[in-house]
Each structure stands twice: as structure tokens, then as C-alpha cells.
Amino acid sequence: MGGSRAQVNKAHKSRFSTKSSRNLHKTSVKDKSRIAKSERNVAKGARAARVQRNKMLRDQKRAALLKEKRASTGIASPPRVVVLFGLSASVNLNSMTEDLLGQLASEGTRALSSTVCSSEYRLRTTVLQAPHGDLLSCMEMAKVADLIAFVASASSLCEESTSDYIDAFGSQCLSVFRSVGLPSTVVLIRDLPAEPKKRQDLKKMCISCLTAEFPEDCKFYPADTKDELHKFLWLFKEQRLMVPHWRNQRPYLMSQKVDVLADDGNSGKCTLLLNGYLRAHSLSVNQLVHVSGAGDFQLCKIENLKDPFPLNARKGRDAMEFDETHDVEVIRTLASDPLKQEPLLVENVPDPLAGEQTWPTEAEMVEADQNQKQKRLKKRTLPRGTSEYQAAWIVDGTDEEDSDNDDDADDGMVLDQEESGFPGYEGTNNSDFDDDEASLNFRYSDDGTETESVMMEGENLTREQIEDEIKKIKEAHAEDEEFPDEVDTPLDVPARKRFAKYRGLKSFRTSSWDPKESLPPEYARIFSFDNFARTQKHVFAKALKMEQDGTDDCVTAGSYVRLHIKEVPAGIAHRLCEIAKTVPLIASGLLQHESKMSVLHFSVKKHDSYDAPIKAKEELIFHVGFRQFVARPIFSTDNINSDKHKMERFLHAGRFSVASIYGPICFPPLPLIVLKSVEGSITSAVVAVGSLRSIDPDRIILKKIILTGYPQRVSKKKATVRYMFHNPEDVRWFKPVEVWTKCGRRGRIKEPVGTHGALKCVFNGVLQQHDTVCMSLFKRAYPKWPEHRFPILDA
């Protein structure tokens, strides 16, 4: 029935009611009143709890924000570090620095140092000038900068760069700063014309050209007059500075004064003195410190000094009269405790007799002699290369069964029980071919990086020899891109000996590979963790607890301290004093275990500005956070669905790879900048950027080689292949390994043909005459142990 007379039912009112209220009609009148009253009280209590919880969260956020503001701008906070970086060589940073320091200093006075205490702005600031063209110095300053002020000249035009105001070095440094982690940034525009119309137009043009190069929150300020600098400094004082996350995980100190104290007990060692403000976290005198570029050291004591630049007008005048030749007043001295001090443990020292047995008794020796006589009487046929110790584990029944086989069959490789692979042959004692790459010609070597006899030291080479080596590396890089992993079988060495360390895998993804099998001697010198994530969590929690408890052996962040770093080699200490005249030294506190060596894996990408090939196991300088050390990495792919990863001979451009090194333990997240020393130059080139990925000695990196052969006679699924091997014994040795073709066929080796290494193969489909037969072999690869650990030793 339609129209206005249509029946309209009442809306269901229990949509928003609770289950108890919907069942209220089922209860008695007495219970109704009790339930209704409790419901009102519960609702009122829930709302009050919700309001109270929101208020508590607001108070916590307000307190955290106030604490952060006091830590960055309060009286006890260290001076803010402002780094002036010129985007082009035409920018006059000297005048910019003088104007900025003059604006911060009080009227009628002149700034005597780079640190200025301004009573007008209620601000303490350290102004550093980044030297244009010195990449390493710019990187070190960017690591400690609270604000990077990029200075652009409105009148400069750079033809060699994409932007009109940034030259090639400025673009390179910008990309490096982004990889390290940009703190708060501003752009100061200089050299604007005096006429208002032209000034405004040129300012807009400059901003439009530079906006894409900087973060969205980056502000642009004209900085020619005092009023413009006053506006910038007033906003800078109120600005909430953002710093990279990795910098706030460890305490660090930027040196303002460096001195050396001779050690009477040890002539080759001395004590390095660093004065400066402690930042980020508290530092314990029993903690290890890393001096950037020089290494890890212990502290003998920490002196808490009187602040030479207090944020007070009267004390500020005294600070202007402060003479650096006199010592600052010592407020408190903290001495290290040998029982609590973190040991400077770098390498593990294994006991060579740890695996030896105790001296046998006379009865055991007599029994062993009788068993040995019985073994001599019984003739046994064993596989070639089997030692007496391995023969003792062979069951007698297997010898009788294998005695019927011919001698050639004993040369063949036995498949694994689960997968079609080689046995652990590389664990056998084959000293003649342990370094087989060095004994062969360079063109036959499957890994040019291991040919130590060919690659001589750089100082012993002439200019023509260096050019020849560079040419060979470039040719090898081009050949690796065109024919990856393909290797020629040598004519003068049997393949079963030349590739004795390799084995076959039926499936790269699913075949098993023991990570503890046949480890190199360097693995006895490193440390590993059962659960690295749990260890990292425990270490950070321990450091946080130490700071919150405020123990007696710690100095708080913001204090002006003098670090006494003991047992520093005298040559390194004097070299650091020379470096500190131009670039401030950085000393950072190390967390537990961070001085120990292990296997580190980094996710790296080749830098766009570097065109030369980067070979595996080449000596490179790794900048990981505040730390610097020398490493010789190997590169590999990152297989998500497999526990095995394929090694790459070169770091290819345009994609990420994993670089594995022997290096000191670092807890992620940490940025990575990879540098390489340039021949004939004191500067270093940026070759790659990335970040720390993990620490895992058990990560399996497999080096793959491909042996190729060509069909000689083809009969449907059968073919005779030549030039893969050069003698029939090699064919019998590699017979268990599966072969494949570039057109997608898979097959197996049936038997050798003739005496020149030809072989008969059977495939799963019809083989084409123009096809290529391939065999994949694998062996585990490891990084190279660095000859020296820190780059300052090269200077």
C-alpha cells in the first residue's frame, strides 16, 4: 500500500546500545536500578580516564619538547655548530664568516675565535668554514654540524654544472651530505644588487634554481646587510634543529684544542689531549673512544673544565680576554678504573692447542700399534687425495665394494647425499694449489683480484706500467659485463686441480651449503654473535641505563672537558696535531663490542661521479658514521629467497650490491661513504655510498664460474662437446655435475671421447649446432684482511 497511508515502522534504537542494556528488560526491577546506576558510573569513569590519559600524553610531549629545547638552547647546552659551505668556488666565505661572527659578537668587540657567545641573541655559536675542494674536511664538518648554511653567490654562473649556482664540487658534496644525513639546512644568498627591483628578481631566480637541490623545509635568506643577518640569526635561535638519527646514538666531541703529552714510560707512545664540548650523550671514562682516522683508544682520565664561553654578559667579557696559552680551571677529574674499563680487544686470539688431545697412555699406544700392523697387512684401495686420518673413518665394507671399480672411477667427484654437488674437497690438504690463481697467467685467472703476483705495489710501478694495469682492469670490467662468470680452462694445468676448490650445485636456491665448512684462518680472529639483534638491544639499553643513572665515572653532555687518550703512537699524535689546525678532530665514544673485528655487510651503490671500475678486494677507505677504517671488500648480490648470494667481481653502476668486509663491529643504522685514494694526488675520490646492513660471518657468498664447450657432432638429444676440458681424466672428474646450454637445454655428461678432452652429453631436448654447452661451478668467497686498519697510516 503506497502513498501517505504507507506503514512507517519505528527505527531500531538498539544500534548503539551495549549488550547488557539490550538485555535489561529480562532482569527484575531491583536489578534494573542497580545495573542502570552502574552503567552511568562506568561511562563517567571511562570518560574521566580518557581525559586523564590525554592530559598525561600532552604533558609528556610538552616536557620532552621543553627538555630538547633546553638541551639545544639552554645555558648548559654546547654551542651550536654552523658550517658555512660555498656552493661554488666564486663564493667569498671569508667575508661571510667575518660578517656572521661580527653580528654575533657584541658591539665594539671582535671575535677572537670561531666560538662566539652572544648576549643579544642568548646564543652560543661555533662557526666553521668548509674549505672548497677538500672533500674529506667538508665531510668531517658535516658530521658534527647542527646547521649547514649553504652560501650561494647571485652573480656566479657555473657552466660545467646543471645549476647556474652550483659547481661540480658543490654537487658532489651535496650528494655526499645527503648520504651521510643532512641536519637542518639554510641557503644564504650573497652578492645581490642594491636596486630593489633587480634585487628581488635575481633573488627569485636564484631560489627557483636551487629549490630542487635542497629539502622542502630549507629556508632561503639574503645575507648581504646587517639587518638581513639579524633576521636570519633571530630565526636560527628559535629554530628547532634536526640532526641525523645515527648521531644521537653515541657521545662525541669536536676538538677546539689538541695537545700531546709525552709518556715517560714508553718512548713510542704518548697521551693525546682533546679539549671540547661533549655532545649528544654522557661519556664514561671507562669507555673506549675512536679518534677519526687514527683508531680506537682507551682513556686514562677525563677533566671537567670550566666553560670558557659561558652564556653570561659578565663572564662573556672575561671569555674575550681568555688566552689560549693558559689552562682552563679544572672543576673535576675522573680517573679510569682498570677493573671496570672496557678492554681494547680487537682480534680474537685462538689457542692453537685447544683442539689437541691429551697425551695417550701406554695401553692406548700399544693398542694403536697393533691396529696399525693389521692395517698394513690388509691392502686397501682408497680414493686419491685421502689422508690416513680420513681413511680411518671409511668402513671396511665400502673398500671391498669399491675395489671392483677401476682407478679412473676413483678420480670422479661424488655427489652430495641430498643435492648434486661436490663433496668438501676444499677442506683437503692441497697445498700445491691453495693459491692457484697466482701460479697461472692473468688471462687464465678467473679472479684477477687474487693474482697477487701480477698486481705489484703501486710505488714500484712506472707510469707506463700503471697505465697498462688500468687498461687491463677496464678490459676485464667490460668483459665481465659482456660475458659474466665465463672462464677458460687452462691448457697446462688439469681442470680437476685448477678448480679443485669448486663444487657443483643442483639448485642455487635450495641446495645446502654448510656455513661452518672449510673456513679461512681469518675467521679464527673475528667475533660473532648468537643473536645480533638481541645483543644490539642489550647494548643500547645498557648505554641508556648508564646515562640515566648518572654514575660517578661519567661526564654529562654539554660539559667542556679534556680527554686524556692514552697509548697513542707518537707519529700519529703529531700528525693529528697538524690536521687539527685546519679541520677539527672528532672523538666519538664506542659502545660495548664496537672495537672487535667481525664480518660486516653494507648495502652500497656506485657513486655517479666515479667512472673507473671498482674491483673486488681492492683497498678502500670506509667512513661509517664517525669512524674511518681501511677495508678490502667483496661484492655480492642480495637474494631474498635464498641463503646463498652470488659474488660479483666488480661493483657495477646503477644498482645496489652488498659489500662484505672484515671490520670493527658497528651497530646499525649508520651511513657509509666509500673513498679511494687517487694515484699522484693527496685527495680521495668518492666511489660509493650506502649504509650498514648487518653483521653476520655466516652469510654465504659463492663465487661462480662457467666452463664453456661447443658441440662438434649433434644427433638429436646427444652431442659430442669439445674445448670444455683438455684430457679425459677431467671429464671423469666433473661427470657428476649437470650441464646446460644457453638455449635452455639441460643435460648430463655420459662419457669422455678420445684423448683430447671431448665429452659425450645427453640433453632433455634437441640440441642446436650453434648452441653453447656450459657447466656452473661454485666456491665460497671471503673478503681480504686489510694490511693496515686506519687511513692516517698512509699519510
Side-chain angles (χ1 to χ4, degrees):
M1 188 174 180
S4 59
R5 298 176 179 268
Q7 179 179 350
V8 179
N9 295 326
K10 295 174 68 176
H12 191 55
K13 296 182 179 180
S14 63
R15 286 185 301 164
F16 307 106
S17 59
T18 61
K19 184 177 180 182
S20 59
S21 62
R22 289 197 300 268
N23 296 330
L24 193 62
H25 64 282
K26 299 179 181 179
T27 58
S28 61
V29 177
K30 183 178 180 180
D31 293 335
K32 277 183 181 182
S33 60
R34 180 176 58 83
I35 293 175
K37 186 176 181 181
S38 63
E39 285 290 328
R40 287 193 300 270
N41 292 338
V42 167
K44 184 177 180 181
R47 181 179 179 279
R50 187 169 63 251
V51 171
Q52 180 66 21
R53 181 175 178 274
N54 292 338
K55 182 178 180 297
M56 182 182 64
L57 292 177
R58 285 196 305 270
D59 293 342
Q60 289 178 353
K61 290 181 180 179
R62 187 181 294 109
L65 191 62
L66 187 60
K67 181 181 178 181
E68 179 183 354
K69 188 175 181 180
R70 285 174 178 171
S72 59
T73 60
I75 298 177
S77 64
R80 290 188 171 189
V81 180
V82 178
V83 175
L84 300 178
F85 179 80
L87 293 176
S88 63
S90 61
V91 176
N92 188 358
L93 284 184
N94 293 326
S95 63
M96 181 71 222
T97 306
E98 292 177 0
D99 293 345
L100 195 58
L101 290 176
Q103 187 72 23
L104 287 168
S106 58
E107 295 184 2
T109 61
R110 185 175 58 89
L112 300 178
S113 66
S114 59
T115 302
V116 179
C117 177
S118 175
S119 58
E120 179 184 358
Y121 299 100
R122 300 291 297 169
L123 185 66
R124 294 193 297 177
T125 309
T126 299
V127 181
L128 299 179
Q129 181 178 327
H132 195 84
D134 190 351
L135 177 64
L136 188 59
S137 300
C138 294
M139 284 176 51
E140 292 300 301
M141 290 183 181
K143 290 178 183 178
V144 296
D146 294 319
L147 177 78
I148 299 182
F150 295 96
V151 184
S153 177
S155 60
S156 65
L157 293 176
C158 302
E159 298 178 357
E160 70 274 9
S161 181
T162 55
S163 176
D164 294 336
Y165 303 97
I166 306 177
D167 59 6
F169 179 77
S171 299
Q172 183 186 27
C173 285
L174 265 177
S175 63
V176 172
F177 293 165
R178 294 190 196 101
S179 301
V180 173
L182 276 175
S184 298
T185 57
V186 296
V187 177
L188 303 179
I189 305 174
R190 299 275 285 183
D191 302 332
L192 290 171
E195 186 180 348
K197 182 72 169 61
K198 292 183 179 179
R199 183 183 183 88
Q200 190 66 19
D201 294 341
L202 195 56
K203 175 186 171 183
K204 289 182 179 179
M205 184 186 302
C206 184
I207 292 175
S208 63
C209 292
L210 295 176
T211 300
E213 301 290 338
F214 298 98
E216 295 181 357
D217 57 348
C218 181
K219 304 295 184 182
F220 292 81
Y221 299 96
D224 285 321
T225 63
K226 289 186 176 181
D227 292 338
E228 292 170 345
L229 288 177
H230 172 75
K231 179 182 178 182
F232 157 67
L233 290 174
W234 190 259
L235 294 175
F236 168 60
K237 174 201 170 184
E238 301 296 332
Q239 183 179 2
R240 182 186 178 188
L241 299 180
M242 306 296 294
V243 296
H245 174 66
W246 61 268
R247 196 197 296 181
N248 286 330
Q249 292 181 339
R250 295 164 182 82
Y252 65 96
L253 177 143
M254 184 186 71
S255 67
Q256 292 189 343
K257 183 181 178 182
V258 181
D259 202 355
V260 175
L261 185 63
D263 190 356
D264 298 334
N266 193 346
S267 60
K269 304 284 186 178
C270 63
T271 301
L272 184 67
L273 308 181
L274 296 182
N275 291 24
Y277 290 93
L278 186 63
R279 303 170 188 269
H281 287 286
S282 300
L283 178 66
S284 172
V285 70
N286 297 318
Q287 202 170 344
L288 297 178
V289 295
H290 174 85
V291 180
S292 185
D296 305 334
F297 303 98
Q298 289 180 324
L299 296 172
C300 59
K301 65 178 179 178
I302 298 178
E303 293 178 343
N304 196 350
L305 307 178
K306 183 179 179 181
D307 196 342
F309 302 99
L311 193 60
N312 185 284
R314 183 179 57 83
K315 294 182 180 179
R317 287 193 295 270
D318 296 338
M320 291 303 173
E321 300 172 358
F322 171 72
D323 188 1
E324 293 184 358
T325 60
H326 295 83
D327 289 336
V328 186
E329 179 185 350
V330 179
I331 300 176
R332 179 188 176 199
T333 301
L334 304 178
S336 60
D337 186 359
L339 299 177
K340 297 180 181 180
Q341 194 168 25
E342 185 78 16
L344 186 57
L345 189 59
V346 178
E347 297 180 12
N348 187 18
V349 182
D351 185 5
L353 302 178
E356 295 293 330
Q357 296 179 348
T358 57
W359 189 261
T361 61
E362 293 183 0
E364 292 175 343
M365 294 177 66
V366 171
E367 184 180 358
D369 292 338
Q370 293 177 357
N371 294 336
Q372 192 68 21
K373 291 179 182 178
Q374 294 178 359
K375 289 180 181 178
R376 291 197 190 101
L377 294 175
K378 185 177 180 181
K379 186 178 180 180
R380 305 176 66 186
T381 304
L382 300 174
R384 293 182 182 177
T386 305
S387 63
E388 294 182 0
Y389 177 78
Q390 291 173 328
W393 292 88
I394 299 178
V395 184
D396 293 337
T398 58
D399 295 339
E400 297 176 359
E401 295 174 1
D402 296 340
S403 61
D404 298 334
N405 300 332
D406 55 354
D407 294 339
D408 293 334
D410 292 335
D411 289 340
M413 286 191 171
V414 183
L415 296 177
D416 293 337
Q417 293 182 358
E418 296 182 359
E419 305 293 344
S420 176
F422 295 162
Y425 186 84
E426 58 184 351
T428 60
N429 188 10
N430 190 6
S431 60
D432 294 338
F433 295 93
D434 283 344
D435 197 6
D436 50 351
E437 289 85 351
S439 63
L440 294 177
N441 195 306
F442 185 78
R443 61 180 293 230
Y444 292 130
S445 176
D446 58 294
D447 187 4
T449 61
E450 296 180 5
T451 315
E452 299 296 339
S453 61
V454 177
M455 298 297 295
M456 295 180 289
E457 295 294 333
E459 58 268 15
N460 297 331
L461 297 178
T462 62
R463 182 179 181 87
E464 291 76 11
Q465 288 175 330
I466 292 175
E467 292 177 354
D468 292 341
E469 292 297 336
I470 294 174
K471 185 178 179 182
K472 286 181 180 179
I473 293 174
K474 290 183 177 180
E475 290 175 354
H477 180 265
E479 186 177 357
D480 182 66
E481 287 186 340
E482 187 175 1
F483 306 104
D485 307 322
E486 290 191 13
V487 175
D488 295 332
T489 305
L491 294 171
D492 54 345
V493 179
R496 63 185 183 277
K497 293 183 178 180
R498 171 65 182 83
F499 306 117
K501 296 181 180 180
Y502 291 84
R503 66 179 68 177
L505 291 178
K506 186 175 182 180
S507 172
F508 187 85
R509 185 178 63 86
T510 60
S511 297
S512 61
W513 195 295
D514 187 7
K516 305 295 185 183
E517 176 187 3
S518 303
L519 296 176
E522 289 80 8
Y523 265 56
R525 304 164 64 180
I526 65 172
F527 296 84
S528 61
F529 301 99
D530 293 335
N531 190 329
F532 180 74
R534 182 177 58 193
T535 303
Q536 180 180 356
K537 183 179 179 181
H538 172 72
V539 168
F540 279 115
K542 182 180 178 181
L544 182 62
K545 183 176 183 298
M546 181 190 71
E547 184 174 10
Q548 290 177 350
D549 293 345
T551 55
D552 296 335
D553 59 347
C554 293
V555 287
T556 59
S559 305
Y560 188 77
V561 298
R562 178 189 292 142
L563 303 182
H564 291 251
I565 304 174
K566 66 179 182 179
E567 295 183 0
V568 180
I572 293 179
H574 292 295
R575 173 65 181 165
L576 291 174
C577 291
E578 294 295 327
I579 296 175
K581 295 178 181 178
T582 56
V583 183
L585 290 180
I586 303 174
S588 59
L590 298 181
L591 301 175
Q592 189 181 10
H593 308 304
E594 283 198 325
S595 66
K596 303 172 183 176
M597 296 288 285
S598 187
V599 182
L600 282 66
H601 307 285
F602 297 87
S603 179
V604 298
K605 185 179 182 181
K606 191 174 181 180
H607 199 261
D608 298 334
S609 63
Y610 194 77
D611 298 329
I614 305 172
K615 193 170 52 174
K617 299 183 182 179
E618 193 173 359
E619 190 174 280
L620 302 172
I621 302 173
F622 277 55
H623 286 246
V624 184
F626 290 118
R627 308 177 75 176
Q628 302 178 27
F629 50 84
V630 179
R632 303 179 66 181
I634 58 172
F635 307 109
S636 61
T637 58
D638 184 22
N639 297 331
I640 302 177
N641 298 326
S642 175
D643 61 341
K644 294 175 286 296
H645 310 273
K646 180 180 172 296
M647 175 186 165
E648 295 179 336
R649 291 177 175 83
F650 294 88
L651 180 61
H652 298 287
R655 66 171 184 260
F656 278 93
S657 298
V658 177
S660 303
I661 65 167
Y662 290 118
I665 292 172
C666 306
F667 293 104
L670 285 173
L672 169 69
I673 305 295
V674 184
L675 302 182
K676 180 182 177 182
S677 300
V678 181
E679 291 290 340
S681 176
I682 60 174
T683 60
S684 300
V686 180
V687 299
V689 296
S691 60
L692 178 60
R693 184 185 182 93
S694 63
I695 298 177
D696 184 14
D698 293 337
R699 189 177 191 269
I700 300 174
I701 301 173
L702 297 183
K703 177 181 172 183
K704 178 182 178 182
I705 63 171
I706 298 175
L707 305 181
T708 56
Y710 305 95
Q712 184 179 13
R713 295 184 182 89
V714 177
S715 175
K716 294 184 179 179
K717 297 184 179 182
K718 298 179 181 180
T720 302
V721 181
R722 61 179 178 176
Y723 302 141
M724 181 177 287
F725 304 107
H726 303 298
N727 55 72
E729 287 78 11
D730 289 342
V731 178
R732 295 188 185 97
W733 179 265
F734 289 97
K735 183 178 178 180
V737 185
E738 188 182 33
V739 295
W740 51 276
T741 70
K742 292 187 177 181
C743 291
R745 302 293 181 222
R746 308 190 74 84
R748 60 182 179 86
I749 299 175
K750 190 174 182 182
E751 59 185 359
V753 178
T755 60
H756 294 285
L759 57 146
K760 187 180 292 184
C761 300
V762 181
F763 296 91
N764 61 350
V766 178
L767 187 68
Q768 303 294 326
Q769 185 68 45
H770 61 80
D771 205 349
T772 304
V773 182
C774 304
M775 176 185 291
S776 300
L777 300 176
F778 303 88
K779 80 167 182 178
R780 189 171 176 185
Y782 303 92
K784 276 279 187 180
W785 193 272
E787 298 176 358
H788 55 274
R789 296 183 54 214
F790 300 104
I792 198 172
L793 300 177
D794 295 335

